[in-house]
Amino acid sequence: MTANGRRPSRLTINADAQAMIDVARAEGIETVWDRLAAQEPQCGYCALGLSCRNCAMGPCRIDPFGEGPQKGVCGADADVIVARNLGRTIAAGSSSHSDHGRDILEVFRATARGETTGYRIADEAKLSRLAGELGITTEGRGTLEIAEAVADALYEDYGSRKESLALTGRAPEARRQLWEQLHITPRGIDREPVEMLHRTHMGVDNDYVNILLHGLRTSLADGWGGSMIATELSDIMFGTPTPVVSEVNLGVLEFDQVNIAMHGHNPLLSDVVVSAAADPELLELARSHGATGINVVGLCCTGNEMMMRRGVPIAGNHLMQELVMMTGALEAMVVDYQCIMPSVTDEAKCYHTQVISTSDKAKFPGATHISFDPARGIEVARQIVRLAVDVYPNRNPDRVRIPVDPVRMMAGFSVETILGALGGTPKPLVDAIASGDIRGAVAVVGCNNPKTPQDYGHVELTRRLIEHDILVLVTGCAAVANGKAGQMLPESAALAGPGLRAVCESLGIPPVLHMGSCVDNSRILVLAGALADALGVDIDQLPLAGAAPEWYSEKAVAIGAYVVASGVTTVLGVQPPIFGSPHVVELLAGGLDGVVGARFAVEPDPVQAALLIRRHIEAKRRGLGLPAFDVDAEPVGVAV
Ligand code: SF4
Ligand code: MSK
């Protein structure tokens, strides 16, 4: 099986991935691209969102050509079925982020109560600020007492007794009023996805507009709720990121060290594993096995969390999780949850690699399960590192191939860091936007998807935006993609247009700012809110846009929905399963603009997506009375 015989250069733009795909083919190891080819052609009904299996009268499907059935057994039409499917996808994505947030909250509260080992309050100033925001008195109280009160207040946001989530107070007043008018103010982080599951049960909400509006509310409970809590508390426990230079791609693996890849999303375990890897006793054990050290690297968003706060190098993004094992140099892949392909245990069998699962809610047959227990955090971390070290003698040196040298990249751009670099206020950024040195800002976020050449969408779109003086903010796999492409160093300012380049050079920052993991898209919401407040407008009036060129996950759909509901138009590079309902498409890609001031667009070609985004940004500039270009009047030959 060889992905329909397509050349590796058609599957990914990266030399390290291409080399490892060659290895996989030579050794007969199946990868994600082979499995995609085996699935083709994929189900057309499902691709259009027109299939439903919400009850046992079905499964049902609607004929998109109008010749076959136009209603499911219950009478649901295409609009209802497409909207219900999308609503459930948003609920799943929101729940994933928010449950991650709850895990952090639980450990945060246990730490405040002295019930954990290996954790502490690293950023007391941020804790105080958050306490103030939540109306918690800090005077005369110790750090841990304040932390426990903060935890208790945030637990309330997960319940169903509130009218609005605490951190929605960070959104501009006008945006909050709009949410109120539309009845989409998120009330409870758990409540909204549960209500979505209820509404989409057979015979409940049969109005597609009503379902989709609740989809926005559900996503807002993620962006301004579960994800934001995950980010805030991770910063408080592990440190608010500051600029750091690290390295990326498979070249971060070491030939002569015990290599451990931390994969998944939650920083709770990875943080203590990084500490345990520096334990002198374990280092001595590694040396006794012939290794010169213990090298912890990241994958996917756990990798982003570790790079942002600790400068830990990152081996790759989503589509590298299988290929990293084909280096033959990985002793252990330690996973928590989300975006971890079930296939990793199959590939591990072809090598000496141990897959170690750690979350009791994410088990992998074939993996060694070491249950994560925060009360024994550092002890569990040592156990994991010891297991990896003990595997090292099983490595076959003849099969080790680390195909490239690593590329340097800069990370660590929290909102605090960005505003700090600007002198503590968004005003210099507002001034640069007003003068036109920076035309606007775009959040390029989301995953890899084997349906598109890996990283091409992220890298090409980003490059075309920065060269037209648009600041790019990245998270998740999009950040790793841009890092690999060498677009995330201060010297990468040379790739930017003259205005953006001058701003970056004066501040010593890259034109593409790494803001963290998937849950850290909440940082982008906070920054957008601060910019809107500085200008005295709502977010939808700002020259901003979002893009998810290679998204695949339910979480990405939730992110796109809360970004749009917050007023930022978002361009998707992979078609979502909604095209079976022209009404739903018309609402999401058009009508929504008149409701929340933003909409979705779908454009698979990053060159065209860049053009679309630039038109949008210039239109927003015009709306604010700022100097604006006519993008379509540019002379032929100008790269667009
Ligand atoms: Fe079919 Fe309606 Fe049941 Fe869906 S809910 S499976 S459309 S009968
Ligand atoms: S890891 S959700 S593939 S960004 Fe956050 Fe990457 Fe997407 Fe997972």
Side-chain angles (χ1 to χ4, degrees):
M1 268 186 281
T2 55
N4 281 345
R6 278 179 287 174
R7 287 195 300 277
S9 60
R10 293 290 178 92
L11 308 180
T12 169
I13 65 168
N14 301 300
D16 59 350
Q18 290 168 11
M20 292 299 104
I21 292 170
D22 279 336
V23 169
R25 288 179 176 181
E27 301 199 349
I29 301 171
E30 184 185 83
T31 67
V32 66
W33 290 279
D34 302 316
R35 294 189 297 274
L36 173 61
Q39 286 288 336
E40 285 167 345
Q42 291 179 311
C43 172
Y45 294 99
C46 292
L48 293 170
L50 285 176
S51 51
C52 179
R53 53 176 180 78
N54 285 10
C55 85
M57 292 190 288
C60 304
R61 56 192 188 180
I62 305 296
D63 182 356
F65 304 109
E67 289 162 11
Q70 293 302 295
K71 293 200 169 160
V73 176
C74 66
D77 62 12
D79 298 339
V80 172
I81 289 177
V82 168
R84 281 197 310 216
N85 289 339
L86 184 62
R88 286 193 167 207
T89 301
I90 293 172
S94 296
S95 302
S96 303
H97 283 146
S98 297
D99 200 44
H100 163 167
R102 186 201 333 269
D103 285 342
I104 308 258
L105 176 55
E106 282 178 355
V107 175
F108 176 74
R109 185 166 189 273
T111 300
R113 293 166 65 90
E115 295 165 359
T116 62
T117 65
Y119 300 99
R120 66 192 179 98
I121 303 300
D123 190 339
E124 293 189 18
K126 185 154 185 166
L127 173 66
S128 280
R129 284 199 303 277
L130 182 59
E133 222 179 321
L134 297 171
I136 291 165
T137 313
T138 53
E139 230 179 270
R141 298 173 99 176
T143 301
L144 295 182
E145 194 185 342
I146 297 168
E148 189 171 352
V150 165
D152 288 340
L154 293 177
Y155 264 115
E156 292 294 312
D157 275 12
Y158 276 86
S160 46
R161 301 179 68 170
K162 294 184 72 173
E163 294 300 315
S164 70
L165 302 182
L167 301 180
T168 55
R170 296 174 172 189
E173 173 70 25
R175 183 67 19 189
R176 281 182 277 137
Q177 281 179 9
L178 179 67
W179 291 340
E180 275 300 307
Q181 284 162 20
L182 295 169
H183 303 293
I184 61 169
T185 300
R187 300 157 297 180
I189 295 167
D190 288 344
R191 175 179 183 166
E192 308 307 354
V194 167
E195 184 173 316
M196 179 57 87
L197 294 182
H198 176 199
R199 285 179 183 232
T200 53
H201 187 281
M202 201 297 278
V204 183
D205 200 346
N206 293 314
D207 178 335
Y208 76 94
V209 176
N210 211 35
I211 295 170
L212 293 175
L213 278 173
H214 188 70
L216 297 185
R217 188 179 222 174
T218 304
S219 71
L220 288 169
D222 170 1
W224 297 88
S227 278
M228 204 168 277
I229 287 174
T231 298
E232 293 295 298
L233 298 186
S234 296
D235 282 356
I236 291 170
M237 278 200 291
F238 306 119
T240 303
T242 54
V244 60
V245 175
S246 187
E247 291 182 328
V248 61
N249 77 25
L250 290 184
V252 303
L253 297 174
E254 298 288 354
F255 279 102
D256 52 1
Q257 296 194 21
V258 175
N259 290 307
I260 302 174
M262 304 299 299
H263 178 17
H265 278 79
N266 197 314
L268 286 170
L269 177 69
S270 50
D271 196 80
V272 281
V273 166
V274 173
S275 299
D279 183 318
E281 191 190 315
L282 290 168
L283 284 168
E284 189 45 46
L285 181 66
R287 280 191 281 272
S288 75
H289 287 318
T292 61
I294 302 171
N295 180 38
V296 179
V297 302
L299 274 172
C300 285
C301 278
T302 287
N304 285 318
E305 297 273 358
M306 294 196 302
M307 178 181 274
M308 288 285 284
R309 299 199 181 84
R310 292 223 188 197
V312 172
I314 188 160
N317 43 5
H318 184 55
L319 290 181
M320 297 310 292
Q321 61 183 290
E322 298 180 302
L323 302 182
V324 66
M325 278 187 272
M326 282 146 221
T327 61
L330 189 67
E331 275 57 53
M333 175 179 284
V334 184
V335 303
D336 47 49
Y337 43 54
Q338 298 171 16
C339 302
I340 300 146
M341 292 187 198
S343 61
V344 292
T345 47
D346 293 332
E347 279 118 12
K349 283 184 206 140
C350 304
Y351 295 91
H352 69 300
T353 310
Q354 283 275 332
V355 177
I356 303 171
S357 57
T358 57
S359 166
D360 289 347
K361 53 182 110 170
K363 292 199 173 179
F364 293 70
T368 302
H369 190 71
I370 299 180
S371 182
F372 173 66
D373 172 6
R376 301 168 41 246
I378 195 73
E379 194 186 322
V380 172
R382 281 205 197 99
Q383 190 185 350
I384 288 169
V385 174
R386 183 181 297 276
L387 179 57
V389 170
D390 284 339
V391 164
Y392 184 78
N394 300 341
R395 187 194 281 190
N396 178 352
D398 296 336
R399 292 184 79 195
V400 172
R401 47 238 146 172
I402 298 174
V404 290
D405 289 327
V407 173
R408 288 165 60 244
M409 68 182 282
M410 190 182 241
F413 290 93
S414 55
V415 174
E416 289 85 341
T417 290
I418 294 173
L419 294 184
L422 297 170
T425 132
K427 187 164 182 316
L429 184 54
V430 169
D431 291 346
I433 291 174
S435 71
D437 285 345
I438 295 179
R439 312 301 303 169
V442 177
V444 179
V445 307
C447 326
N448 287 147
N449 187 320
K451 292 178 177 175
T452 72
Q454 186 205 15
D455 294 347
Y456 170 66
H458 294 308
V459 171
E460 189 66 22
L461 174 63
T462 300
R463 193 175 60 74
R464 284 172 185 269
L465 293 174
I466 61 175
E467 72 188 16
H468 286 100
D469 293 316
I470 294 169
L471 179 68
V472 173
L473 313 170
V474 286
T475 59
C477 294
V480 183
N482 275 290
K484 283 186 276 185
Q487 300 190 151
M488 294 180 68
L489 286 165
E491 49 268 39
S492 318
L495 301 169
L500 177 60
R501 177 180 181 161
V503 172
C504 290
E505 285 175 349
S506 74
L507 296 172
I509 60 169
V512 184
L513 302 181
H514 192 337
M515 295 192 75
S517 63
C518 308
V519 294
D520 292 337
N521 285 310
S522 61
R523 297 190 202 275
I524 297 175
L525 295 180
V526 174
L527 187 60
L531 275 177
D533 284 343
L535 270 163
V537 298
D538 193 0
I539 293 174
D540 65 309
Q541 293 170 268
L542 297 172
L544 302 179
E550 302 177 33
W551 72 275
Y552 92 89
S553 73
E554 292 164 316
K555 292 177 293 170
V557 179
I559 293 167
Y562 72 61
V563 168
V564 168
S566 300
V568 180
T569 284
T570 295
V571 182
L572 306 176
V574 177
Q575 186 172 304
I578 59 170
F579 283 81
S581 166
H583 289 134
V584 169
V585 173
E586 159 49 30
L587 180 61
L588 296 181
L592 212 48
D593 216 0
V595 181
V596 294
R599 63 189 179 88
F600 284 98
V602 179
E603 178 49 71
D605 178 354
V607 177
Q608 293 303 317
L611 200 52
L612 198 154
I613 288 171
R614 290 182 55 222
R615 282 193 201 107
H616 170 77
I617 281 184
E618 296 301 330
K620 291 293 175 186
R621 293 182 60 86
R622 223 167 277 123
L624 286 170
L626 301 176
F629 293 140
D630 180 354
V631 173
D632 296 303
E634 282 174 354
V636 176
V638 171
V640 289

